[in-house]
Amino acid sequence: METDHQRTSEEESLRQKEAVLHARELVSQLERDLGRQPTCCVTTFGCQMNARDSEKICGILRESGYQLIEEETADLVIYNTCTVRDNANQRVYGRLGTLLAMKKKNPAKKIALCGCMMQESAVIEKILKSYSQVDLIFGTHNIYKFAELLCLMLEEKRQIIDIWEETDQIVEDLPTHRKYPFKSGINIMFGCNNFCSYCIVPYVRGRERSRASSEIVDEIRALAADGVVEVMLLGQNVNSYGKGLSEDITFAKLLQQVEQIEGIRRIRFMTSHPKDLSDELIAVMRDSQKICRHLHLPLQSGSSRILEKMNRRYDREAYLALVKKLKAEIPDLSITTDIIVGFPGEVKEDVDDTIRMIEEVGFDNAFTFIYSKRTGTPAATMENAMSEKEISEQFDRVLKKVQETAKQQTLKHTGKTVEVLVEEVNEHDADMVTGRLSNNLLVHFPGGPELIGTFCTVKLVENKGFYFIGEQLPRKQ
Ligand code: 5AD
Ligand code: SF4
């Protein structure tokens, strides 16, 4: 594997493009054998990073001649896994059982596993022992090599496993297949250096590496030329973008460059760490016409004692001060967050602090999680103070407060006229479409599929808790 690490990004990109051509020959052979176009299905677990990785995998599969379908009856099924909490792992094992039963009936079916879970040695051991019929396993660091791995899988009748501990390689310019024609995620950095004590991400995604700003801007320009109007800049900790690059750049400066790109009308980003959110960034957001009025700012806990044990490097006062500053500069900003309940050592009084914090900040929404022990992280060796039952009760209290607050916040927008980007036909009513506001709220309103990907002016007529029913108004202009 050493030689792979030593190639330059350009050499590697070229090599993978050649591998795609080779995969195309192998897939055409398969097509002749089957008497029809081979199908594949990529199932994504986890976060936006994984969703973006799946688009890269789908791009290569499509270029190789596979037909992408949504059903796991496909000739090739790939699970792009997540391991941030144990229930993510359990979901994968559960579904893998069903998949392997299908393969038993149809041995020609191929199964591949990739993503964060595959970076854990205990997972690989378990798969080798109990799920040995899986055809291909690779990790997060060598996803750019997927075309080459696909060829190996199609050519050889053995199980292919390729997991790397680390990489500093960023390979540009490989094919992708976007899920939405009008919006796209863009990786601006990979990995994480924060080492929050509960979190497995630094171990499965490796050290923080930023892409050169010119590569990011070129990619977004190409996306804009291809009809993309909304971009989501992705990184585990976007606020520390640029560290380690030779150019003089910060995340705020990168946003200013993206703002200049013609055709891009909305810019989002994820995720921000409160400790690194600069005044420069707040000012750039405030003055921007394109950066959306939404900030996802994970709090994790409202108790300074627990925050310290979590190694978050801020306390409740610092978080509150930051929110105050944000709201003063950008009054219409929606703030959402992540909260963990049941971290080792947490007691009811800590949760009281979290609940007070939710009230004080007035979060527009929050994802709440029960702490999940991740082997290898510092928190895994810390003792729990609450029983499972107590944790579950405290979780319910937090969830209730989050829901109340989110509802109050959402209600405030009733009656407003807003601009929305229409994303899809409503799942439950084919005569309605669903649009997203700049602040990330959703509104459903009467309309047809021709509106998808366009901006509409909509009045938020009726509040339904976390979303709105609206009506379209004639375009301003
Ligand atoms: N247990 C529970 N939640 C976790 N998260 C990360 N690691 C864990 C864990 N071990 C949550 C954090 C993070 C979100 C993506 O997942 O809240 O912000
Ligand atoms: Fe995303 Fe983290 Fe899950 Fe990996 S482990 S998919 S980076 S949330």
Side-chain angles (χ1 to χ4, degrees), residues 268-337:
R268 300 184 184 276
F269 54 84
M270 238 185 175
T271 290
S272 293
H273 193 304
K275 78 174 167 60
D276 297 316
L277 201 144
S278 66
D279 289 350
E280 184 197 15
L281 174 62
I282 300 175
V284 168
M285 285 180 80
R286 178 197 60 206
D287 299 338
S288 168
Q289 297 302 311
K290 295 185 178 178
I291 301 174
C292 288
R293 281 359 202 178
H294 173 220
L295 183 67
H296 187 67
L297 194 64
L299 166 68
Q300 313 300 2
S301 169
S303 153
S304 296
R305 193 179 77 87
I306 296 296
L307 285 169
E308 186 167 1
K309 285 190 173 193
M310 288 177 161
N311 192 31
R312 290 291 287 174
R313 285 172 279 172
Y314 57 85
D315 57 14
R316 66 176 281 125
E317 286 70 32
Y319 189 95
L320 274 172
L322 181 58
V323 167
K324 205 170 152 196
K325 196 153 61 176
L326 281 160
K327 289 195 169 176
E329 295 291 327
I330 317 165
D332 53 348
L333 184 70
S334 149
I335 302 178
T336 59
T337 202

Side-chain angles (χ1 to χ4, degrees), residues 62 158 204 253:
R62 211 173 62 152
R158 62 183 174 95
V204 296
K253 292 199 180 90

Side-chain angles (χ1 to χ4, degrees), residues 412-429:
K412 284 189 193 160
H413 301 286
T414 313
K416 283 188 187 163
T417 296
V418 294
E419 185 183 58
V420 305
L421 174 57
V422 180
E423 296 199 336
E424 57 200 0
V425 170
N426 188 292
E427 270 179 45
H428 306 290
D429 183 347

Side-chain angles (χ1 to χ4, degrees), residues 217-258:
V217 169
D218 284 352
E219 182 178 348
I220 299 177
R221 274 211 191 98
L223 288 167
D226 199 28
V228 166
V229 288
E230 179 177 302
V231 288
M232 164 85 91
L233 309 184
L234 297 171
Q236 298 297 343
N237 181 17
V238 291
N239 303 86
S240 68
Y241 169 79
K243 284 185 191 154
L245 287 178
S246 51
E247 55 183 315
D248 173 27
I249 186 116
T250 58
F251 181 54
K253 292 199 180 90
L254 176 72
L255 280 171
Q256 284 176 311
Q257 290 187 24
V258 176

Side-chain angles (χ1 to χ4, degrees), residues 72-318:
E72 293 187 356
T73 49
D75 301 305
L76 166 61
V77 178
I78 302 181
Y79 279 180
N80 189 5
T81 63
C82 168
T83 186
V84 75
R85 288 169 293 275
D86 189 51
N87 53 11
N89 293 41
Q90 295 314 322
R91 261 206 309 280
V92 168
Y93 288 130
R95 289 181 60 167
L96 193 54
T98 319
L99 216 53
L100 290 171
M102 287 159 85
K103 185 174 164 91
K104 224 174 194 168
K105 288 192 197 136
N106 170 19
K109 186 182 181 79
K110 299 276 185 194
I111 298 175
L113 300 176
C114 64
C116 296
M117 230 175 117
M118 302 305 125
Q119 293 296 138
E120 288 182 276
S121 52
V123 169
I124 299 297
E125 275 165 36
K126 181 167 172 160
I127 291 171
L128 290 180
K129 207 164 130 226
S130 315
Y131 302 92
S132 58
Q133 305 89 324
V134 173
D135 299 280
L136 167 64
I137 302 171
F138 57 103
T140 55
H141 299 302
N142 52 350
I143 200 157
Y144 66 80
K145 260 187 72 184
F146 173 62
E148 206 179 327
L149 294 168
L150 179 67
C151 292
L152 264 182
M153 184 196 77
L154 290 171
E155 275 175 322
E156 300 195 14
K157 298 278 170 281
R158 62 183 174 95
Q159 188 176 51
I160 314 287
I161 305 183
D162 193 7
I163 310 285
W164 299 357
E165 293 270 307
E166 255 302 345
T167 187
D168 50 13
Q169 186 74 273
I170 298 179
V171 180
E172 300 288 351
D173 200 24
L174 294 175
T176 58
H177 172 71
R178 293 198 313 277
K179 193 170 167 204
Y180 299 94
F182 56 89
K183 67 171 187 176
S184 180
I186 289 101
N187 298 108
I188 63 164
M189 59 204 297
F190 302 92
C192 180
N193 282 354
N194 283 330
F195 291 96
C196 301
S197 65
Y198 50 82
C199 187
I200 200 163
V201 170
Y203 307 91
V204 296
R205 290 265 174 186
R207 293 292 63 71
E208 198 174 280
R209 316 170 292 286
S210 293
R211 287 175 73 194
S213 63
S214 58
E215 298 280 3
I216 298 169
V217 169
D218 284 352
E219 182 178 348
I220 299 177
R221 274 211 191 98
L223 288 167
D226 199 28
V228 166
V229 288
E230 179 177 302
V231 288
M232 164 85 91
L233 309 184
L234 297 171
Q236 298 297 343
N237 181 17
V238 291
N239 303 86
S240 68
Y241 169 79
K243 284 185 191 154
L245 287 178
S246 51
E247 55 183 315
D248 173 27
I249 186 116
T250 58
F251 181 54
K253 292 199 180 90
L254 176 72
L255 280 171
Q256 284 176 311
Q257 290 187 24
V258 176
E259 174 120 21
Q260 300 302 317
I261 300 173
E262 214 173 300
I264 297 300
R265 292 184 54 184
R266 277 185 173 181
I267 305 168
R268 300 184 184 276
F269 54 84
M270 238 185 175
T271 290
S272 293
H273 193 304
K275 78 174 167 60
D276 297 316
L277 201 144
S278 66
D279 289 350
E280 184 197 15
L281 174 62
I282 300 175
V284 168
M285 285 180 80
R286 178 197 60 206
D287 299 338
S288 168
Q289 297 302 311
K290 295 185 178 178
I291 301 174
C292 288
R293 281 359 202 178
H294 173 220
L295 183 67
H296 187 67
L297 194 64
L299 166 68
Q300 313 300 2
S301 169
S303 153
S304 296
R305 193 179 77 87
I306 296 296
L307 285 169
E308 186 167 1
K309 285 190 173 193
M310 288 177 161
N311 192 31
R312 290 291 287 174
R313 285 172 279 172
Y314 57 85
D315 57 14
R316 66 176 281 125
E317 286 70 32

